[in-house]
């Protein structure tokens, strides 16, 4: 059953803002999903999209190895919007010519409308132009037949175009970014006026569709859910419990890699108020054994993922009649774990790339289509307590990927104590809810220090705090100097074995949020 009768499909050509396009569409209550540019035409047709968007990308359309979609996309009768590279690709495939521009456009530009209507319906023709965001070194030099120019800028005389007969539109600028002040209107005109979509994709409708889908799929079988106490697994447990009630058993695995007190409050809520069946498994020693001597972060993630599956399957046998495993895979997990051009993925996620092919349980992943902030909205709609929903994200592999190098009991002690201090001070200062994520990382080095007039040679803790909306992109948080000083002083004074604290000022991209 296709629960998304109306959807906008975004084809990814490698742009850093592809995920932002999908998010901007969802913000207008229309479902969207991302697929690789190389998707087969039959597969794309089977998705029954209401519209297709071709993203930007780092290549030039005249490069020998430039990514190309199937030209049959333009004959499906479905509206297509090309953005930046996607626009140039569309126009080239219709006989236009794209060349390196004499003057590149990066940053803000003034877009002057040549004609109204279409993508620019409802926008005034301001002689000074509308602010848009450009990011390109090529431009369209020859407009193909039957395409009409609808907007221009100083360095892009063909900044927006439309086909005279077919529902094809192209823009050189990026409507998905906040710096394009008319971006919401442009995307809205494409989604509603050109594609004919309706604003019906809400968390309420998502719950209705998914509850029905879970009931139909599970039938009378039993489901186990990996319940860590974090936001994602808590929301998964809540929606599946609403669908099948006592056919669900939640399994909380203490893998020894959790933060201090990480899951007690939410587990108490589920046991006492939601009346879920929860099985607690103490597996700290098992996971330490699996990680002994492991330095490679990919190996860590996969060993942790395989360890979870092993335990879940053992517990499923004890319960009996279990056919499904539910887990909190999110859309960013899927995107980062998939290679679109045959290159290495950014990182494998323990719940995506770490699952064995021989796993006996079938997966149920009700959040697989959602970004993090959508999961929070879903949790509130399901009645979960605010304290559970607004907790900062915590990775499935836990502290195991915040310890660079080997994971040992002693190194876990150091990091866990430092992490407690970071979170205490973030909450005390009021910054906890102002940032996306804040945490400590234990580095695989030691440095010289002086304590009590004596030389020390001890560990280094890095503090990481980022601002984000969906974890696909992030900027480092500009925390007050006094707050950082307090955190540093407390860690060095209270955590035995640490004599230096540093602050990570890297954004994503190029860095990832987690260090491993």
């Amino acid at each position: 059953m296709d629960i998304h009768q109306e959807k906008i499909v975004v084809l990814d050509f490698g742009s850093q803002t592809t995920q932002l396009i999908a998010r901007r569409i969802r913000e207008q209550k229309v479902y969207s999903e991302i697929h690789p540019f190389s998707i087969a035409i039959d597969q794309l047709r089977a998705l029954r999209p209401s519209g297709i968007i071709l993203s930007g990308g780092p290549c030039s359309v005249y490069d020998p190895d430039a990514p190309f979609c199937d030209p049959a996309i333009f004959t499906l009768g479905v509206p297509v919007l090309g953005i930046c590279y996607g626009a140039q690709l569309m126009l080239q495939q219709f006989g236009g010519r794209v060349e390196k521009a004499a003057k590149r456009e990066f940053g803000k530009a003034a877009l002057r409308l040549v004609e109204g209507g279409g993508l620019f319906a409802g926008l005034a023709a301001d002689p000074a132009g509308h602010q848009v965001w450009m990011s390109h070194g090529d431009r369209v030099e020859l407009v193909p037949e039957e395409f009409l120019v609808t907007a221009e800028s100083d360095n892009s005389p063909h900044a927006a175009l439309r086909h005279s007969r077919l529902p094809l539109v192209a823009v050189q600028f990026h409507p998905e970014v906040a710096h394009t002040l008319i971006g919401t209107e442009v995307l809205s005109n494409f989604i509603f006026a050109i594609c004919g979509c309706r604003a019906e994709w809400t968390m309420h409708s998502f719950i209705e569709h998914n509850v029905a889908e879970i009931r139909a799929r599970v039938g009378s079988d039993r489901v186990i859910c990996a319940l860590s106490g974090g936001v994602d697994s808590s929301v998964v447990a809540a929606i599946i419990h609403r669908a099948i009630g006592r056919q669900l058993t939640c399994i909380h695995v203490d893998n020894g890699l959790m933060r201090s007190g990480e899951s007690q409050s939410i587990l108490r809520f589920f046991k006492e108020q939601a009346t879920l069946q929860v099985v607690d498994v103490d597996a700290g020693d098992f996971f330490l054994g699996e990680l002994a001597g492991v330095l490679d972060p990919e190996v860590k993630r996969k060993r942790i993922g395989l360890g979870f599956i092993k335990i879940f399957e053992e517990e499923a046998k004890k319960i009996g009649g279990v056919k499904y495993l539910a887990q909190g895979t999110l859309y960013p997990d899927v995107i980062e774990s998939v290679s679109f051009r045959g290159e290495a993925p950014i990182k494998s996620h323990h719940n995506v790339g770490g699952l064995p092919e021989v796993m006996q349980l079938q997966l149920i992943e009700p959040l697989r289509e959602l970004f993090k902030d959508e999961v929070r909205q879903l949790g509130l709609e399901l009645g979960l307590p605010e304290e559970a929903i607004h907790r900062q994200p915590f990775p499935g592999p836990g502290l195991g990927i915040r310890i660079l190098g080997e994971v040992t009991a002693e190194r876990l002690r150091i990091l866990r104590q430092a992490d407690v201090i970071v979170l205490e001070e973030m909450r005390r200062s009021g910054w906890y809810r102002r940032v996306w994520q804040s945490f400590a990382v234990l580095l695989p080095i030691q440095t010289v220090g002086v304590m009590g007039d004596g030389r020390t040679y001890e560990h280094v803790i890095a503090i990481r705090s980022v601002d984000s909306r969906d974890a696909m992109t992030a900027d480092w948080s500009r925390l007050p100097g006094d707050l950082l000083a307090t955190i540093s002083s407390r860690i060095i004074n209270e955590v035995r074995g640490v004599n230096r604290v540093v602050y990570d000022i890297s954004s994503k991209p190029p860095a990832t949020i987690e260090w491993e």
Side-chain angles (χ1 to χ4, degrees):
M1 177 177 65
D2 184 0
I3 66 171
H4 306 299
Q5 296 299 318
E6 293 185 342
K7 66 167 71 71
I8 302 294
V9 170
V10 181
L11 298 189
D12 183 17
F13 288 88
S15 171
Q16 293 182 3
T17 59
T18 297
Q19 292 79 23
L20 197 54
I21 300 170
R23 285 190 45 74
R24 291 291 177 262
I25 297 166
R26 293 186 184 194
E27 286 172 0
Q28 305 206 42
K29 298 182 179 180
V30 174
Y31 180 69
S32 64
E33 59 188 36
I34 299 169
H35 289 274
F37 69 89
S38 55
I39 185 172
I41 193 67
D42 288 342
Q43 184 183 355
L44 179 59
R45 187 182 289 111
L47 292 172
R48 293 184 296 166
S50 301
I52 299 169
I53 295 180
L54 311 181
S55 82
C59 298
S60 294
V61 294
Y62 49 76
D63 289 344
D65 60 346
F68 286 85
C69 58
D70 191 323
I73 287 173
F74 303 113
T75 65
L76 291 176
V78 174
V80 181
L81 165 63
I83 296 175
C84 197
Y85 177 89
Q88 295 170 359
L89 177 64
M90 177 193 295
L91 297 167
Q92 185 196 59
Q93 293 196 351
F94 274 86
R97 188 175 72 250
V98 178
E99 296 179 358
K100 188 176 292 294
K103 188 173 182 180
R104 301 180 299 173
E105 278 187 308
F106 291 94
K108 297 175 183 177
L111 185 80
R112 296 181 295 276
L113 304 186
V114 175
E115 69 170 41
L119 289 178
F120 306 117
L123 294 175
D126 188 342
H130 296 278
Q131 179 183 303
V132 297
W133 189 262
M134 297 281 195
S135 181
H136 63 97
D138 299 329
R139 75 179 194 180
V140 177
E141 296 293 351
L142 175 65
V143 176
E145 292 183 13
E146 296 193 275
F147 274 86
L148 304 173
V149 176
T150 57
E152 63 184 13
S153 70
D154 288 343
N155 296 311
S156 291
H158 315 127
L161 304 98
R162 67 174 177 86
H163 196 281
S164 59
R165 292 184 300 104
L166 303 175
L168 308 176
V169 286
V171 296
Q172 185 60 70
F173 60 92
H174 287 268
E176 70 273 22
V177 303
H179 298 297
T180 295
L181 302 185
I182 59 172
T184 298
E185 290 84 354
V186 168
L187 289 175
S188 178
N189 283 328
F190 178 70
I191 296 165
F192 300 113
I194 297 176
C195 297
C197 293
R198 293 162 294 180
E200 295 181 343
W201 194 72
T202 64
M203 286 302 105
H204 181 73
S205 67
F206 182 89
I207 292 171
E208 289 183 340
H209 287 304
N210 274 268
V211 164
E213 190 174 62
I214 292 166
R215 284 175 181 162
R217 181 181 177 190
V218 171
S220 59
D221 292 314
R222 299 191 64 83
V223 179
I224 59 172
C225 174
L227 181 60
S228 69
V231 177
D232 305 336
S233 66
S234 300
V235 174
V236 168
I239 194 169
I240 293 181
H241 184 251
R242 177 171 293 193
I244 61 172
R246 295 188 65 79
Q247 289 171 249
L248 170 68
T249 300
C250 292
I251 298 176
H252 174 250
V253 178
D254 183 353
N255 60 2
L257 306 175
M258 305 295 286
R259 292 186 292 200
S260 179
E262 174 66 24
S263 53
Q264 278 78 354
S265 61
I266 189 64
L267 288 175
R268 190 182 311 114
F269 167 81
F270 276 121
K271 289 179 180 179
E272 296 176 1
Q273 297 185 43
T275 63
L276 260 72
Q277 302 176 84
V278 181
V279 175
D280 291 306
V281 179
D282 185 352
D285 292 340
F286 167 75
F287 279 94
L288 276 178
E290 291 294 297
L291 295 174
V294 176
L295 304 180
D296 188 301
E298 282 295 284
V299 176
K300 280 185 190 177
R301 286 176 172 271
K302 290 180 178 179
R303 287 205 181 181
I304 292 169
L306 290 170
F308 273 120
I309 295 301
K310 182 176 184 292
I311 291 170
F312 294 146
E313 290 193 326
E314 289 174 353
E315 293 301 319
K317 289 177 183 177
K318 297 176 186 177
I319 296 167
V322 175
K323 186 176 179 180
Y324 299 97
L325 166 65
Q327 62 178 16
T329 305
L330 303 191
Y331 204 24
D333 299 339
V334 176
I335 293 168
E336 289 194 342
S337 296
V338 172
S339 168
F340 286 140
R341 298 197 65 186
E343 301 161 352
I346 298 171
K347 63 177 72 168
S348 63
H349 289 261
H350 81 291
N351 53 354
V352 179
L355 302 181
E357 294 181 3
V358 296
M359 188 182 74
Q360 298 174 9
L361 300 175
Q362 296 181 38
L363 284 179
I364 295 179
E365 299 172 306
L367 310 184
R368 191 179 177 88
E369 303 165 340
L370 302 184
F371 291 98
K372 191 75 174 190
D373 60 328
E374 293 171 329
V375 173
R376 288 195 170 106
Q377 295 171 28
L378 179 60
L380 293 174
E381 187 82 23
L382 288 164
L384 291 177
E386 289 239 1
E387 65 187 66
I389 295 306
H390 290 294
R391 298 174 77 183
Q392 291 182 1
F394 186 64
L399 299 179
I401 58 168
R402 292 180 178 174
I403 294 177
L404 276 60
E406 185 177 12
V407 178
T408 66
E410 173 60 12
R411 301 189 82 206
L412 276 167
R413 176 196 65 80
I414 292 172
L415 180 58
R416 192 173 279 120
Q417 290 179 1
D419 194 73
V420 167
I421 293 170
V422 172
L423 296 182
E424 283 180 354
E425 293 302 328
M426 291 295 288
R427 288 190 174 98
R428 182 177 291 121
S429 64
W431 275 86
Y432 182 83
R433 290 280 294 273
R434 294 175 62 180
V435 305
W436 174 264
Q437 208 168 348
S438 51
F439 54 90
V441 179
L442 180 60
L443 304 189
I445 58 173
Q446 291 176 278
T447 65
V448 174
V450 178
M451 288 182 167
D453 297 325
R455 179 186 184 276
T456 62
Y457 190 61
E458 295 181 331
H459 295 282
V460 179
I461 289 288
I463 306 302
R464 179 72 158 146
S465 181
V466 297
D467 302 325
S468 181
R469 290 189 62 182
D470 52 26
M472 295 309 304
T473 60
D475 192 16
W476 60 278
S477 307
R478 272 60 171 179
L479 298 181
D482 289 346
L483 173 57
L484 291 172
T486 299
I487 293 173
S488 174
S489 177
R490 283 196 60 193
I491 289 174
I492 291 172
N493 281 297
E494 298 176 28
V495 182
R496 189 171 298 279
V498 177
N499 69 0
R500 191 178 300 271
V501 174
V502 298
Y503 188 53
D504 183 349
I505 57 171
S506 309
S507 296
K508 176 185 180 181
T512 53
I513 296 176
E514 298 288 347
W515 280 45
E516 287 193 342

